[in-house]
Amino acid sequence: MKIGLKLWSINTDHYFNEAKKLYDQGYFDYIELYTVPNTVASLEKWKKLSIPYIIHCPHFMHGFNLAEKSKRLENKKIYDEVKIFADELNVPYIIFHGGMDGSIEETVFQLNLINDSRALIENKPFIPLAKNLGIKFCRGATIEEISFVLKNTGCRFCLDFCHAVCSANWQKIDPYDYVQKFNTLQPVMYHLSDLKEETSPYDSHYNFGKGQLNFDKILSNLSTNATISIETEKKSKENLDDFGEDSIFLKNKFFSN
């Protein structure tokens, strides 16, 4: 199993040094780096870590929305920066969200414009975590929409377990059955956190064992060489101790199944 630490490109302070320490101690195998727009200047520092990377493209909260035709020019500008990170860090994957509102057809159109062989599409909840946005709907929240993207682009799939559970809860269907159906789409990697409420349609990024997610059900049928990015909360600005605990929890839970 390969475990990933999720960081943002702006995290060049305490987390940077902590990441190097935990990597050397074997807590994780790669960094999944969310590239905040206009932070290309941070790239030289990230290169100094000599740690494998996966890149996560910005999402709609940073102006990137593949589902909206009116965002094509802005999306291209943001992706051009993402590509610089991806090329310089020699990554195998770039993870994309399908966007907000708009249409899944537009998502497919823009992913084909980008035409990056490293692209992965990530499944989403039906509704975003930011409740103050009102009712907006995420593209790629259903098996049907993710399947449509996979069929009509060169993308591969990143399965976010909690997003799948939240989507199922919105649809009022069994969440763990839905996760297993998503898993038939042959994801090449996964995202994982805990959920405050197992029946909620909102993602919550709780640390492992602090919420209600059934990890035995979630981790069943995964191969021993799965690639999993941990997307849990980081309560401290000074250290990554909670991530270290989550890494140990995941390894213990995974290999006990």
Side-chain angles (χ1 to χ4, degrees), residues 180 183 190 217-223:
Q180 295 309 321
N183 207 30
Y190 303 87
K217 289 184 178 180
I218 283 291
L219 297 175
S220 65
N221 301 321
L222 285 191
S223 66

Side-chain angles (χ1 to χ4, degrees), residues 145-211:
E145 287 200 345
I146 291 296
S147 297
F148 182 77
V149 172
L150 296 176
K151 181 179 179 181
N152 291 284
T153 69
C155 286
R156 287 168 289 174
F157 181 36
C158 172
L159 171 54
D160 188 303
F161 289 115
C162 291
H163 289 174
V165 170
C166 292
S167 172
N169 289 336
W170 179 267
Q171 298 177 74
K172 302 187 185 308
I173 56 180
D174 185 274
Y176 296 104
D177 285 348
Y178 205 56
V179 166
Q180 295 309 321
K181 289 177 181 177
F182 257 122
N183 207 30
T184 65
L185 299 182
Q186 299 181 318
V188 298
M189 65 171 292
Y190 303 87
H191 285 170
L192 182 61
S193 56
D194 207 338
L195 285 172
K196 178 181 179 181
E197 298 175 6
E198 187 183 44
T199 58
S200 174
Y202 291 105
D203 197 10
S204 46
H205 294 278
Y206 266 39
N207 294 101
F208 296 154
K210 306 299 184 183

Side-chain angles (χ1 to χ4, degrees), residues 220-236:
S220 65
N221 301 321
L222 285 191
S223 66
T224 55
N225 63 350
T227 298
I228 305 176
S229 292
I230 295 175
E231 289 201 314
T232 51
E233 294 178 303
K234 298 174 180 65
K235 297 182 177 66
S236 172

